[in-house]
Amino acid sequence: MSAPATPAVRALLDTLGSEQLPSYVYDLADLREHVGAVRAALPERVELYYAAKANPEAPILAALSGLVDGYEVSSGGELAHVRATVPQAPLAFGGPGKTPAEIAAALALGVRRWHVESEQELRLLAQLATEPVDVLLRANLPVGSGQLSSVALAMGGRPTPFGLDPEQVEGCVRLLAGPGFERLRLRGVHAHLASGLDAAEQLALARRIVGWSAALAERHGFELAEVNVGGGMAVDYADPTARFDWKAFGAGLAELLAAHPGLTLRIEPGRALTAYCGWYATEVLDVKRSHGEDFAVVRGGTHHLRTPATRGHSQPFTVTPVESWPHPWPRPAVGTGRVTLSGQLCTPKDVLAQDAPVTALRAGDRVLFAMAGAYAWNISHHEFLMHPRPDFHFLG
Ligand SMILES: *Cc1c(COP(=O)(O)O)cnc(C)c1O
């Protein structure tokens, strides 16, 4: 299924010559509108953090400023970058394998909100903190995978390097009440247990996480102030017009909060916020028939846009016909009505869309890939084969 570009993106593309392709184009006005609607759908006591790892481009972070309550960072590099880009924004520091140097740097930069992934990390933090900091213990809870849809990816309830098993959480809560941990204030629980969940599934998961956390707090006699129920809101690459039902999710969270007065909930989506605002524009260099199937080789490839290769999907796209053909020989064109869009890399994995239906596609036509705003450029292996980098355009 295809996704038509926004007018701003279309207008820019009309001005780009072949030598300016591929280009990443981001519609920041569209991003702000989308995230504004997300924010509006959430009750007041839900804080919206953006998981910077989905797309940390500075203009994206800046565009989100004022619409999100803060940013979740997962490395010293993200921390320094986000702090420099949006200096006033609250940060939460998560992620496994925080080094002592990263912890010290984050403390020095004034990060006061920590997602602690292990007992070792809790001890390091206690040792290095010189001022009070807020701690959420990241819990690896069972997600009840029987209730998840087939596209959802469960990370909780099975062996992973992330977070603490339930009994390890109990151990950390006991540690926190003892000597040496006075500067760490236990505020509650963090859990990021699955991705690709629709609103009903996310709500069911949030209810379980909050229920479990409330029981934990009750058992140990601490006040449950905050629960972060993570990100992972579904993004459907097979249907670019589909959106996570933020209104239903917000309404469900409001009910959950009503049952827990005094609790602040936090969510930290990445993909569902920025996926839709980014586009990868390129052109067809060659069209060839191979053993009965049509292949179109585009300028660029998965070294710029790795998302379809990592997820095993076809990236949605639209074709813009280009009528001029400057050569005296016949123009290569798709003849079967279906095409695999591959890139310039010498590997069969360099596929952006597999066996996709097209009405017409010729060498020289342009292809615009949608939903390239999250986990796209920043997760790609840019140096492989040493092709030039794309241009970047931030609109609005
Ligand atoms: C990656 C990640 C997120 C964001 O996940 P999305 O699927 O992009 O919404 C949130 N929290 C943590 C801890 C993560 O690792």
Side-chain angles (χ1 to χ4, degrees), residues 124-156:
L124 270 177
L125 184 58
Q127 189 182 53
L128 293 169
T130 53
E131 287 178 54
V133 297
D134 289 343
V135 165
L136 300 185
L137 295 172
R138 179 169 181 182
N140 178 352
L141 305 175
V143 292
S145 44
Q147 296 153 23
L148 299 185
S149 63
S150 56
V151 290
L153 179 71
M155 288 161 298

Side-chain angles (χ1 to χ4, degrees), residues 21-22 51-52 55 58 63 91-92 98 100 128 219 236 239 243 248 250 253 258 290 330 332 346 352 365 376 387:
L21 298 174
N55 185 337
L91 305 182
K98 301 179 187 77
L128 293 169
R219 270 198 304 286
D236 186 354
D239 181 4
R243 290 291 181 278
L253 292 183
S290 173
C346 308
L352 296 162
D365 284 339
H387 284 293

Side-chain angles (χ1 to χ4, degrees), residues 49-54 72 74 94-96 115 117 138 155 162 190-196 202 228-235 267-274 311 374-375:
Y49 272 52
Y50 172 57
K53 79 169 191 277
E72 189 262 351
S74 295
H115 301 162
E117 299 261 350
R138 179 169 181 182
M155 288 161 298
F162 309 117
H190 170 257
H192 173 70
L193 299 172
S195 73
Q202 278 281 1
N228 184 325
V229 295
M233 290 71 183
V235 167
I267 60 172
E268 48 183 21
R271 192 186 302 274
L273 297 188
T274 50
R311 294 176 56 94
Y375 304 103

Side-chain angles (χ1 to χ4, degrees), residues 34 68 88 98 114 142 192 220 234 269-270 326 345 351 374 385 394:
H34 171 56
V68 297
Q88 308 306 326
K98 301 179 187 77
W114 292 76
H192 173 70
H220 292 269
L345 302 183
V351 171
L385 264 88
F394 297 90

